[in-house]
mmCIF file of all heavy atoms in Angstrom:
data_model
loop_
_atom_site.group_PDB
_atom_site.id
_atom_site.type_symbol
_atom_site.label_atom_id
_atom_site.label_comp_id
_atom_site.label_asym_id
_atom_site.label_seq_id
_atom_site.Cartn_x
_atom_site.Cartn_y
_atom_site.Cartn_z
ATOM 1 N N ALA A 1 120.421 -200.244 -4.492
ATOM 2 C CA ALA A 1 119.122 -199.572 -4.565
ATOM 3 C C ALA A 1 118.770 -199.126 -5.973
ATOM 4 O O ALA A 1 117.596 -199.110 -6.357
ATOM 5 C CB ALA A 1 119.114 -198.369 -3.617
ATOM 6 N N GLY A 2 119.774 -198.776 -6.759
ATOM 7 C CA GLY A 2 119.498 -198.256 -8.097
ATOM 8 C C GLY A 2 118.778 -199.239 -8.990
ATOM 9 O O GLY A 2 117.947 -198.838 -9.817
ATOM 10 N N ASP A 3 119.070 -200.533 -8.846
ATOM 11 C CA ASP A 3 118.364 -201.519 -9.671
ATOM 12 C C ASP A 3 117.430 -202.391 -8.842
ATOM 13 O O ASP A 3 116.965 -203.436 -9.289
ATOM 14 C CB ASP A 3 119.345 -202.384 -10.474
ATOM 15 C CG ASP A 3 120.239 -203.247 -9.601
ATOM 16 O OD1 ASP A 3 120.314 -202.977 -8.392
ATOM 17 O OD2 ASP A 3 120.861 -204.181 -10.128
ATOM 18 N N GLY A 4 117.145 -201.960 -7.603
ATOM 19 C CA GLY A 4 116.149 -202.645 -6.786
ATOM 20 C C GLY A 4 116.582 -203.975 -6.218
ATOM 21 O O GLY A 4 115.742 -204.769 -5.782
ATOM 22 N N ASN A 5 117.882 -204.243 -6.168
ATOM 23 C CA ASN A 5 118.388 -205.523 -5.667
ATOM 24 C C ASN A 5 118.632 -205.424 -4.156
ATOM 25 O O ASN A 5 119.502 -204.680 -3.711
ATOM 26 C CB ASN A 5 119.668 -205.892 -6.404
ATOM 27 C CG ASN A 5 120.175 -207.287 -6.094
ATOM 28 O OD1 ASN A 5 121.307 -207.609 -6.432
ATOM 29 N ND2 ASN A 5 119.380 -208.124 -5.462
ATOM 30 N N LEU A 6 117.841 -206.152 -3.378
ATOM 31 C CA LEU A 6 117.912 -206.102 -1.920
ATOM 32 C C LEU A 6 118.835 -207.182 -1.373
ATOM 33 O O LEU A 6 118.857 -208.302 -1.872
ATOM 34 C CB LEU A 6 116.522 -206.329 -1.309
ATOM 35 C CG LEU A 6 115.293 -205.746 -1.974
ATOM 36 C CD1 LEU A 6 114.061 -206.115 -1.159
ATOM 37 C CD2 LEU A 6 115.409 -204.253 -2.100
ATOM 38 N N HIS A 7 119.569 -206.838 -0.303
ATOM 39 C CA HIS A 7 120.375 -207.826 0.415
ATOM 40 C C HIS A 7 120.134 -207.711 1.919
ATOM 41 O O HIS A 7 121.010 -207.272 2.669
ATOM 42 C CB HIS A 7 121.869 -207.644 0.106
ATOM 43 C CG HIS A 7 122.254 -207.975 -1.287
ATOM 44 N ND1 HIS A 7 121.801 -209.089 -1.943
ATOM 45 C CD2 HIS A 7 123.049 -207.325 -2.175
ATOM 46 C CE1 HIS A 7 122.302 -209.124 -3.168
ATOM 47 N NE2 HIS A 7 123.042 -208.064 -3.332
ATOM 48 N N PRO A 8 118.939 -208.070 2.382
ATOM 49 C CA PRO A 8 118.699 -208.060 3.830
ATOM 50 C C PRO A 8 119.576 -209.107 4.528
ATOM 51 O O PRO A 8 119.678 -210.247 4.069
ATOM 52 C CB PRO A 8 117.214 -208.429 3.947
ATOM 53 C CG PRO A 8 116.641 -208.218 2.575
ATOM 54 C CD PRO A 8 117.755 -208.491 1.634
ATOM 55 N N LEU A 9 120.201 -208.714 5.627
ATOM 56 C CA LEU A 9 121.025 -209.620 6.419
ATOM 57 C C LEU A 9 120.255 -209.947 7.691
ATOM 58 O O LEU A 9 120.148 -209.116 8.603
ATOM 59 C CB LEU A 9 122.369 -208.975 6.768
ATOM 60 C CG LEU A 9 123.269 -208.583 5.602
ATOM 61 C CD1 LEU A 9 124.474 -207.812 6.103
ATOM 62 C CD2 LEU A 9 123.726 -209.816 4.846
ATOM 63 N N ILE A 10 119.706 -211.145 7.751
ATOM 64 C CA ILE A 10 118.939 -211.577 8.918
ATOM 65 C C ILE A 10 119.923 -212.113 9.956
ATOM 66 O O ILE A 10 120.685 -213.048 9.687
ATOM 67 C CB ILE A 10 117.916 -212.655 8.534
ATOM 68 C CG1 ILE A 10 116.941 -212.106 7.478
ATOM 69 C CG2 ILE A 10 117.156 -213.142 9.754
ATOM 70 C CD1 ILE A 10 116.066 -213.163 6.833
ATOM 71 N N LEU A 11 119.924 -211.508 11.138
ATOM 72 C CA LEU A 11 120.900 -211.837 12.176
ATOM 73 C C LEU A 11 120.302 -212.848 13.142
ATOM 74 O O LEU A 11 119.183 -212.670 13.634
ATOM 75 C CB LEU A 11 121.306 -210.564 12.916
ATOM 76 C CG LEU A 11 121.746 -209.390 12.025
ATOM 77 C CD1 LEU A 11 122.054 -208.156 12.878
ATOM 78 C CD2 LEU A 11 122.942 -209.768 11.171
ATOM 79 N N PHE A 12 121.049 -213.922 13.420
ATOM 80 C CA PHE A 12 120.534 -214.963 14.314
ATOM 81 C C PHE A 12 121.694 -215.695 14.966
ATOM 82 O O PHE A 12 122.867 -215.441 14.668
ATOM 83 C CB PHE A 12 119.641 -215.949 13.539
ATOM 84 C CG PHE A 12 120.389 -216.833 12.567
ATOM 85 C CD1 PHE A 12 120.732 -218.129 12.917
ATOM 86 C CD2 PHE A 12 120.746 -216.369 11.309
ATOM 87 C CE1 PHE A 12 121.416 -218.950 12.035
ATOM 88 C CE2 PHE A 12 121.430 -217.180 10.417
ATOM 89 C CZ PHE A 12 121.769 -218.473 10.779
ATOM 90 N N ASP A 13 121.371 -216.585 15.855
ATOM 91 C CA ASP A 13 122.368 -217.400 16.551
ATOM 92 C C ASP A 13 121.995 -218.865 16.357
ATOM 93 O O ASP A 13 121.000 -219.346 16.915
ATOM 94 C CB ASP A 13 122.393 -217.041 18.038
ATOM 95 C CG ASP A 13 123.490 -217.791 18.809
ATOM 96 O OD1 ASP A 13 124.122 -218.696 18.217
ATOM 97 O OD2 ASP A 13 123.695 -217.478 19.994
ATOM 98 N N ALA A 14 122.774 -219.559 15.559
ATOM 99 C CA ALA A 14 122.464 -220.963 15.243
ATOM 100 C C ALA A 14 122.537 -221.857 16.474
ATOM 101 O O ALA A 14 121.985 -222.967 16.470
ATOM 102 C CB ALA A 14 123.427 -221.478 14.172
ATOM 103 N N ASN A 15 123.209 -221.382 17.522
ATOM 104 C CA ASN A 15 123.296 -222.187 18.745
ATOM 105 C C ASN A 15 122.013 -222.134 19.565
ATOM 106 O O ASN A 15 121.843 -222.934 20.495
ATOM 107 C CB ASN A 15 124.471 -221.698 19.602
ATOM 108 C CG ASN A 15 125.805 -221.940 18.920
ATOM 109 O OD1 ASN A 15 126.053 -223.021 18.411
ATOM 110 N ND2 ASN A 15 126.657 -220.935 18.901
ATOM 111 N N GLN A 16 121.139 -221.183 19.237
ATOM 112 C CA GLN A 16 119.862 -221.086 19.930
ATOM 113 C C GLN A 16 118.816 -221.900 19.165
ATOM 114 O O GLN A 16 118.594 -221.675 17.983
ATOM 115 C CB GLN A 16 119.414 -219.625 20.027
ATOM 116 C CG GLN A 16 120.368 -218.733 20.808
ATOM 117 C CD GLN A 16 120.488 -219.147 22.260
ATOM 118 O OE1 GLN A 16 119.488 -219.463 22.918
ATOM 119 N NE2 GLN A 16 121.720 -219.167 22.765
ATOM 120 N N GLU A 17 118.187 -222.835 19.865
ATOM 121 C CA GLU A 17 117.245 -223.737 19.218
ATOM 122 C C GLU A 17 116.129 -222.965 18.495
ATOM 123 O O GLU A 17 115.495 -222.082 19.071
ATOM 124 C CB GLU A 17 116.633 -224.688 20.247
ATOM 125 C CG GLU A 17 115.729 -225.751 19.630
ATOM 126 C CD GLU A 17 115.190 -226.723 20.652
ATOM 127 O OE1 GLU A 17 115.566 -226.611 21.837
ATOM 128 O OE2 GLU A 17 114.376 -227.589 20.265
ATOM 129 N N GLY A 18 115.931 -223.301 17.253
ATOM 130 C CA GLY A 18 114.848 -222.720 16.472
ATOM 131 C C GLY A 18 115.180 -221.434 15.750
ATOM 132 O O GLY A 18 114.419 -220.996 14.878
ATOM 133 N N GLU A 19 116.326 -220.796 16.065
ATOM 134 C CA GLU A 19 116.605 -219.495 15.448
ATOM 135 C C GLU A 19 116.902 -219.614 13.955
ATOM 136 O O GLU A 19 116.498 -218.752 13.167
ATOM 137 C CB GLU A 19 117.748 -218.770 16.172
ATOM 138 C CG GLU A 19 117.315 -218.115 17.458
ATOM 139 C CD GLU A 19 118.099 -216.861 17.800
ATOM 140 O OE1 GLU A 19 118.951 -216.426 16.995
ATOM 141 O OE2 GLU A 19 117.850 -216.302 18.889
ATOM 142 N N PHE A 20 117.608 -220.658 13.540
ATOM 143 C CA PHE A 20 117.874 -220.784 12.108
ATOM 144 C C PHE A 20 116.580 -221.035 11.340
ATOM 145 O O PHE A 20 116.384 -220.508 10.246
ATOM 146 C CB PHE A 20 118.877 -221.901 11.816
ATOM 147 C CG PHE A 20 119.109 -222.116 10.342
ATOM 148 C CD1 PHE A 20 119.616 -221.098 9.550
ATOM 149 C CD2 PHE A 20 118.778 -223.317 9.735
ATOM 150 C CE1 PHE A 20 119.808 -221.272 8.188
ATOM 151 C CE2 PHE A 20 118.962 -223.508 8.377
ATOM 152 C CZ PHE A 20 119.489 -222.482 7.605
ATOM 153 N N LEU A 21 115.676 -221.841 11.911
ATOM 154 C CA LEU A 21 114.391 -222.085 11.256
ATOM 155 C C LEU A 21 113.617 -220.777 11.111
ATOM 156 O O LEU A 21 112.985 -220.525 10.081
ATOM 157 C CB LEU A 21 113.574 -223.097 12.057
ATOM 158 C CG LEU A 21 114.094 -224.542 12.074
ATOM 159 C CD1 LEU A 21 113.226 -225.404 12.970
ATOM 160 C CD2 LEU A 21 114.143 -225.108 10.662
ATOM 161 N N ARG A 22 113.661 -219.926 12.145
ATOM 162 C CA ARG A 22 112.980 -218.636 12.058
ATOM 163 C C ARG A 22 113.646 -217.744 11.013
ATOM 164 O O ARG A 22 112.963 -217.022 10.288
ATOM 165 C CB ARG A 22 112.967 -217.937 13.423
ATOM 166 C CG ARG A 22 112.183 -218.671 14.486
ATOM 167 C CD ARG A 22 111.551 -217.730 15.514
ATOM 168 N NE ARG A 22 112.496 -216.825 16.144
ATOM 169 C CZ ARG A 22 113.222 -217.106 17.221
ATOM 170 N NH1 ARG A 22 113.154 -218.312 17.762
ATOM 171 N NH2 ARG A 22 114.025 -216.212 17.739
ATOM 172 N N ALA A 23 114.970 -217.807 10.946
ATOM 173 C CA ALA A 23 115.678 -217.006 9.938
ATOM 174 C C ALA A 23 115.297 -217.445 8.527
ATOM 175 O O ALA A 23 115.079 -216.608 7.634
ATOM 176 C CB ALA A 23 117.188 -217.126 10.137
ATOM 177 N N GLU A 24 115.200 -218.759 8.315
ATOM 178 C CA GLU A 24 114.771 -219.267 7.013
ATOM 179 C C GLU A 24 113.365 -218.800 6.664
ATOM 180 O O GLU A 24 113.086 -218.387 5.539
ATOM 181 C CB GLU A 24 114.819 -220.801 7.004
ATOM 182 C CG GLU A 24 116.171 -221.396 6.735
ATOM 183 C CD GLU A 24 116.050 -222.877 6.425
ATOM 184 O OE1 GLU A 24 115.414 -223.597 7.221
ATOM 185 O OE2 GLU A 24 116.584 -223.326 5.391
ATOM 186 N N ALA A 25 112.480 -218.891 7.636
ATOM 187 C CA ALA A 25 111.101 -218.475 7.409
ATOM 188 C C ALA A 25 111.018 -216.981 7.131
ATOM 189 O O ALA A 25 110.260 -216.527 6.260
ATOM 190 C CB ALA A 25 110.247 -218.832 8.626
ATOM 191 N N PHE A 26 111.800 -216.205 7.862
ATOM 192 C CA PHE A 26 111.892 -214.755 7.665
ATOM 193 C C PHE A 26 112.329 -214.473 6.230
ATOM 194 O O PHE A 26 111.708 -213.679 5.503
ATOM 195 C CB PHE A 26 112.897 -214.203 8.677
ATOM 196 C CG PHE A 26 112.936 -212.701 8.816
ATOM 197 C CD1 PHE A 26 113.592 -212.139 9.909
ATOM 198 C CD2 PHE A 26 112.355 -211.840 7.888
ATOM 199 C CE1 PHE A 26 113.655 -210.764 10.079
ATOM 200 C CE2 PHE A 26 112.423 -210.459 8.043
ATOM 201 C CZ PHE A 26 113.076 -209.917 9.133
ATOM 202 N N GLY A 27 113.400 -215.145 5.791
ATOM 203 C CA GLY A 27 113.908 -214.936 4.434
ATOM 204 C C GLY A 27 112.895 -215.305 3.367
ATOM 205 O O GLY A 27 112.730 -214.588 2.373
ATOM 206 N N ALA A 28 112.192 -216.412 3.576
ATOM 207 C CA ALA A 28 111.184 -216.840 2.595
ATOM 208 C C ALA A 28 110.065 -215.817 2.482
ATOM 209 O O ALA A 28 109.565 -215.543 1.390
ATOM 210 C CB ALA A 28 110.624 -218.212 2.994
ATOM 211 N N GLU A 29 109.688 -215.223 3.613
ATOM 212 C CA GLU A 29 108.609 -214.238 3.566
ATOM 213 C C GLU A 29 109.070 -212.951 2.880
ATOM 214 O O GLU A 29 108.286 -212.295 2.183
ATOM 215 C CB GLU A 29 108.082 -213.940 4.968
ATOM 216 C CG GLU A 29 106.837 -213.072 4.928
ATOM 217 C CD GLU A 29 106.030 -213.091 6.212
ATOM 218 O OE1 GLU A 29 106.373 -213.859 7.140
ATOM 219 O OE2 GLU A 29 105.034 -212.339 6.282
#
């Protein structure tokens, strides 16, 4: 936080169809 460096951890299940694509899109946004 002191230098503004964020590390959001997006939680998903790669075995569920489409979840990794949503995680990628989430990260890009």
